[in-house]
Amino acid sequence: MTTAAGTPTDRSVLPVTERYTLLGWLRRNLFSDLFNSLLTLVALASILIVARLLLRWAFNTAEWGVIPANFNLIMRGQYPAIEAWRLWLVIYLLGTVVGIVWRLIVGQFNTTARVLVAIPLVLMLIPFFSMGTRLYLLITAVASFAGYFIAGYLPILHRGRAAVYFVIAYLVVMLILLRGVGAEDGSLPPVQPILWGGLLLSLLLAFFGITLSFPLGVLLALGRQSRLPAIRVISVIYIEFIRGVPLISLLFMGQIMLQLFLPDGFPLVDRVLRALVAITLFSAAYTAENVRGGLQSIPRGQYEAAQAVGLSTYQSTIHIILPQALRAVIPVLVGQFISLFKDTTLVALVGIFDLLGIARTIIANPDWLGTQQEVFAVIAVLFWIFSYTMSFASRRLERRLGVGQR
Amino acid sequence: MSENTAADEIIICQDVCKWFGDFQALKNCSLRVQAQEVVVIIGPSGSGKSTFIRCINRLEEHQAGDIIVDGIPLTRDVRNIEQIRSETGMVFQQFNLFPHLTVLENITLAPIQVRKMKKDEAMETAMGLLNRVGIPEQADKYPGQLSGGQQQRVAIARSLAMSPKIMLFDEPTSALDPEMIKEVLDVMQELAETGMTMLVVTHEMGFAREVADRIVFMDGGEIMEVGTPEHFFTNAQHERTKLFLSQIL
Ligand SMILES: Nc1ncnc2c1ncn2[C@@H]1O[C@H](COP(=O)(O)OP(=O)(O)OP(=O)(O)O)[C@@H](O)[C@H]1O
Ligand SMILES: [Mg+2]
């Protein structure tokens, strides 16, 4: 944690006129000496050239028609259009739960909250959206606001615990809605996961890959430090094996070999689920190594103090060691999760239609020949938006948890 | 509990030996401590003082000899170890507070988790203890926001929250700036006056002279000499004791 006084450009020592003016800032940071000025000019020129090329391409050359025409495909893959209302319901509920959890955890309608509510409203401005889509986006914004509002009136004692229950309940409802239950002609007919695709699938793979691999990784990291040799050896072998293999080979193994490991008569596991298993197992090994770094940063005195006040090994792990170890590795873990999110695109190579898989089918379609640039540009922007959001959120979280660190 | 030992002997160490690899850090150390007694341990650096008191709550494992704390023999049995630890508080040179918890949470954690105390009750006890060590206004701060002397007083309060019968101190004032030493020593003296059994490793001879019932001198892993402060400061027997005292007084 650096303090304001420790930063190299300490404002208080500068003349008054230069402290807060744009010119002062420019001079200090970009034109402090000849070499710095030269660098600034070269960088500026390169940025201008690239930006001009990009803009010219985007506004003159690019054929954006491919995006609206395939928009549903990009968003949800082969998920049947008549069942699309379920996806919207999932989104409304997401808005509501975010609102509720925000009220319970953060407690105030601050700038970030306003930005969050504004997202669906801004999306309404996208030119090719139908009036229906715009209405649904509006409902989402209203739902999140309603969630925030209602949560203020709920008689809740343990706010943190309640928030966790809400999230878990949401995930269960979400999976039921997505997957469907009952008969083919019922009100919620099943939709096989292999039909899920596009952004929907990419986000689901990343989310469940992260949330399932995290606890597994923490257990492996603890296992690697265990006093019991059997547990230690199993953890080390697992971690080192997985880290020695590329994800793509795990994905292929998952598709081909997972069935061999399962007992006879076990229902055939869905292809998407098999990919998720591979992603989870892969990510867990990396989580374990990152968490181990955090565990090693805890001074021995912390273990001793915990023992001395009578905490059992389990209690000291839960209350003393893990909270500090995990806090120390938040940036690394988030970095790992961001790359996992991007790595999920490898599932396209085993015949699953995530964002990248969908992109490949679109450009292979004779109607849309020669639109690779447009399609991949949009996919890249989508990935960037979500990756950047994750890293932004992690920086916020770090700052929030930073209180009271030595 | 203590029927099977001599009356009121709360710590019994008999021929305790400890090796780190080939190096013998404790050589046949024997010491009996009465309940409510204050014993100060002195000796040159590396003489085994820390190792000795850390054996008593099993932060180090001794390899030969017996240690019996409040009638409970210290063996490999985890239940015995946990019981002894919950009856023994320890204060470290480096405080070792939990930096991610507030002062109040530092103090209430073990009572809630180990003693299964109700949260309200634990908080009340903790506030009482913070009053006793003189810093009730720091309850909601994090350890990193306190001075060294305040941190060490929190550490003492944290140990006391488990209502221990014995307090072990390993150079509690050695990491402190001179002006903070007194505030910690005052708390320790007050604690001694309330009848707490205390084992204190320290270089503070003023404290030893005033508060200790007995002083133990260690050198080279051995207990060389045990006696009252008066005995030590007027007619110490061993040459090495005299040499050590002449160096630090
Ligand atoms: N974990 C360890 N591994 C190996 N040797 C150790 C270990 N801990 C202590 N020792 C050795 O045991 C001897 C006694 O150490 P101890 O820390 O008990 O001394 P001390 O009397 O407390 O000294 P000081 O006044 O410097 O704290 C020293 O020679 C030390 O090097
Ligand atoms: Mg020592």
Side-chain angles (χ1 to χ4, degrees):
Chain A
M1 308 286 118
T2 52
T3 57
T7 49
T9 48
D10 190 347
R11 287 184 169 176
S12 56
V13 301
L14 295 166
V16 182
T17 45
E18 289 210 349
R19 259 184 229 167
Y20 298 109
T21 61
L22 179 63
L23 232 87
W25 184 89
L26 282 177
R27 200 148 113 203
R28 233 174 25 253
N29 291 290
L30 300 179
F31 298 99
S32 57
D33 56 32
L34 184 66
F35 181 64
N36 202 346
S37 311
L38 261 176
L39 272 185
T40 303
L41 289 178
V42 170
L44 214 61
S46 333
I47 292 173
L48 280 179
I49 292 170
V50 173
R52 222 175 83 108
L53 285 174
L54 265 179
L55 287 177
R56 201 191 283 164
W57 171 76
F59 285 104
N60 296 338
T61 325
E63 299 279 354
W64 291 113
V66 63
I67 301 303
N70 293 290
F71 188 72
N72 288 336
L73 208 55
I74 293 173
M75 286 296 128
R76 58 174 147 87
Q78 303 287 337
Y79 205 93
I82 18 161
E83 303 297 339
W85 63 272
R86 280 149 64 166
L87 301 182
W88 279 112
L89 190 50
V90 163
I91 293 177
Y92 303 155
L93 289 176
L94 177 66
T96 316
V97 166
V98 169
I100 293 173
V101 170
W102 197 272
R103 184 57 163 266
L104 293 178
I105 305 270
V106 182
Q108 53 183 348
F109 206 77
N110 56 14
T111 320
T112 319
R114 288 195 196 99
V115 171
L116 282 176
V117 175
I119 291 174
L121 299 177
V122 170
L123 289 178
M124 287 170 68
L125 300 177
I126 292 179
F128 60 84
F129 277 2
S130 67
M131 277 334 261
T133 307
R134 291 196 176 130
L135 176 66
Y136 303 149
L137 285 168
L138 183 64
I139 296 177
T140 309
V142 172
S144 58
F145 194 76
Y148 179 82
F149 192 72
I150 293 165
Y153 293 95
L154 295 179
I156 285 171
L157 213 56
H158 301 285
R159 289 165 158 261
R161 215 177 291 171
V164 172
Y165 292 151
F166 271 111
V167 170
I168 292 175
Y170 171 73
L171 293 179
V172 173
V173 172
M174 176 187 85
L175 284 178
I176 292 174
L177 277 174
L178 287 176
R179 179 67 173 72
V181 281
E184 285 296 340
D185 52 0
S187 51
L188 214 55
V191 178
Q192 297 307 326
I194 196 63
L195 295 178
W196 310 0
L199 182 63
L200 168 71
L201 184 66
S202 288
L203 291 179
L204 286 176
L205 281 178
F207 176 81
F208 284 102
I210 290 168
T211 42
L212 295 176
S213 68
F214 178 69
L216 186 58
V218 170
L219 285 180
L220 282 166
L222 292 171
R224 196 166 184 166
Q225 302 218 319
S226 169
R227 263 169 300 164
L228 307 173
I231 293 182
R232 204 167 52 228
V233 168
I234 291 173
S235 306
V236 170
I237 291 177
Y238 177 87
I239 293 170
E240 296 305 333
F241 170 73
I242 298 279
R243 293 200 326 145
V245 192
L247 174 57
I248 184 67
S249 64
L250 280 181
L251 284 168
F252 275 117
M253 272 163 67
Q255 296 305 321
I256 299 158
M257 285 166 61
L258 193 62
Q259 223 57 49
L260 301 180
F261 292 128
L262 295 174
D264 279 349
F266 199 88
L268 221 69
V269 180
D270 182 273
R271 294 246 300 277
V272 174
L273 260 181
R274 282 188 249 170
L276 180 60
V277 169
I279 288 172
T280 304
L281 296 181
F282 177 78
S283 175
Y286 286 87
T287 306
E289 281 303 274
N290 288 333
V291 171
R292 184 166 74 113
L295 290 174
Q296 282 171 341
S297 74
I298 309 293
R300 218 178 82 169
Q302 291 291 306
Y303 291 88
E304 292 182 347
Q307 285 177 348
V309 291
L311 295 177
S312 66
T313 311
Y314 172 78
Q315 287 167 334
S316 98
T317 306
I318 294 291
H319 296 287
I320 307 298
I321 306 304
L322 270 187
Q324 296 185 59
L326 293 180
R327 217 167 280 206
V329 294
I330 290 174
V332 199
L333 282 181
V334 173
Q336 183 211 325
F337 292 151
I338 289 175
S339 49
L340 179 69
F341 174 48
K342 293 179 290 186
D343 285 349
T344 58
T345 48
L346 284 172
V347 300
L349 299 185
V350 292
I352 292 170
F353 295 100
D354 77 320
L355 262 182
L356 188 72
I358 290 290
R360 292 180 356 142
T361 57
I362 294 173
I363 59 176
N365 183 337
D367 293 348
W368 301 109
L369 275 184
T371 55
Q372 299 94 317
Q373 292 172 340
E374 292 80 357
V375 173
F376 282 125
V378 167
I379 305 292
V381 167
L382 283 175
F383 270 104
W384 178 81
I385 290 173
F386 286 96
S387 304
Y388 183 77
T389 309
M390 275 199 259
S391 90
F392 179 79
S394 109
R395 262 175 286 146
R396 276 303 181 84
L397 185 68
E398 266 171 70
R399 219 182 307 159
R400 238 180 117 81
L401 293 178
V403 201
Q405 292 230 314
R406 318 161 206 248
Chain B
M1 277 273 162
S2 51
E3 306 95 315
N4 51 353
T5 63
D8 287 349
E9 276 182 348
I10 196 163
I11 304 174
I12 300 173
C13 298
Q14 192 67 48
D15 295 323
V16 173
C17 297
K18 161 88 191 159
W19 285 264
F20 290 110
D22 290 338
F23 174 77
Q24 187 166 10
L26 295 179
K27 299 173 187 160
N28 295 316
C29 293
S30 298
L31 182 71
R32 288 165 179 259
V33 180
Q34 306 283 315
Q36 308 209 333
E37 202 179 7
V38 177
V39 175
V40 164
I41 303 176
I42 59 174
S45 182
S47 57
K49 309 179 296 288
S50 300
T51 308
F52 182 58
I53 67 167
R54 286 159 60 85
C55 279
I56 292 173
N57 67 347
R58 213 13 110 97
L59 290 185
E60 303 286 358
E61 191 178 338
H62 65 286
Q63 285 119 0
D66 297 313
I67 299 178
I68 301 170
V69 180
D70 198 27
I72 309 158
L74 186 53
T75 57
R76 282 249 166 84
D77 191 332
V78 181
R79 274 166 306 173
N80 284 11
I81 295 175
E82 280 179 359
Q83 203 176 346
I84 289 177
R85 278 183 183 155
S86 70
E87 290 190 8
T88 340
M90 183 167 221
V91 175
F92 301 86
Q93 183 174 352
Q94 299 298 340
F95 328 135
N96 294 348
L97 292 174
F98 306 130
H100 63 300
L101 300 178
T102 64
V103 165
L104 206 57
E105 288 164 345
N106 262 278
I107 302 176
T108 55
L109 179 68
I112 292 173
Q113 297 299 328
V114 182
R115 294 248 191 268
K116 308 295 173 205
M117 204 185 263
K118 287 252 164 47
K119 197 175 169 198
D120 298 344
E121 197 188 337
M123 300 238 284
E124 215 170 287
T125 320
M127 282 315 295
L129 288 168
L130 281 176
N131 266 312
R132 194 166 154 194
V133 300
I135 40 174
E137 72 284 356
Q138 312 290 354
D140 294 321
K141 288 198 184 161
Y142 286 89
Q145 298 167 305
L146 303 184
S147 75
Q150 291 171 330
Q151 291 193 48
Q152 194 59 299
R153 286 186 280 163
V154 172
I156 294 175
R158 177 177 70 181
S159 299
L160 291 177
M162 290 293 285
S163 328
K165 294 186 178 165
I166 300 162
M167 286 286 286
L168 308 172
F169 293 83
D170 190 0
E171 305 205 28
T173 56
S174 298
L176 297 178
D177 292 337
E179 70 269 21
M180 295 171 189
I181 291 179
K182 188 175 175 315
E183 63 191 46
V184 171
L185 290 181
D186 284 348
V187 170
M188 289 168 61
Q189 179 157 11
E190 188 262 354
L191 196 58
E193 280 158 11
T194 62
M196 177 66 74
T197 310
M198 290 165 56
L199 231 63
V200 186
V201 176
T202 186
H203 296 298
E204 295 296 325
M205 286 303 143
F207 178 84
R209 194 193 300 258
E210 240 172 86
V211 184
D213 295 306
R214 280 191 297 160
I215 295 180
V216 172
F217 174 69
M218 289 185 72
D219 195 10
E222 281 178 275
I223 293 183
M224 304 294 294
E225 193 161 355
V226 182
T228 62
E230 203 194 343
H231 160 87
F232 257 85
F233 293 114
T234 53
N235 61 346
Q237 297 298 310
H238 283 272
E239 278 311 311
R240 273 194 273 178
T241 318
K242 283 185 210 158
L243 184 66
F244 177 74
L245 286 173
S246 72
Q247 278 166 350
I248 61 165
L249 283 178

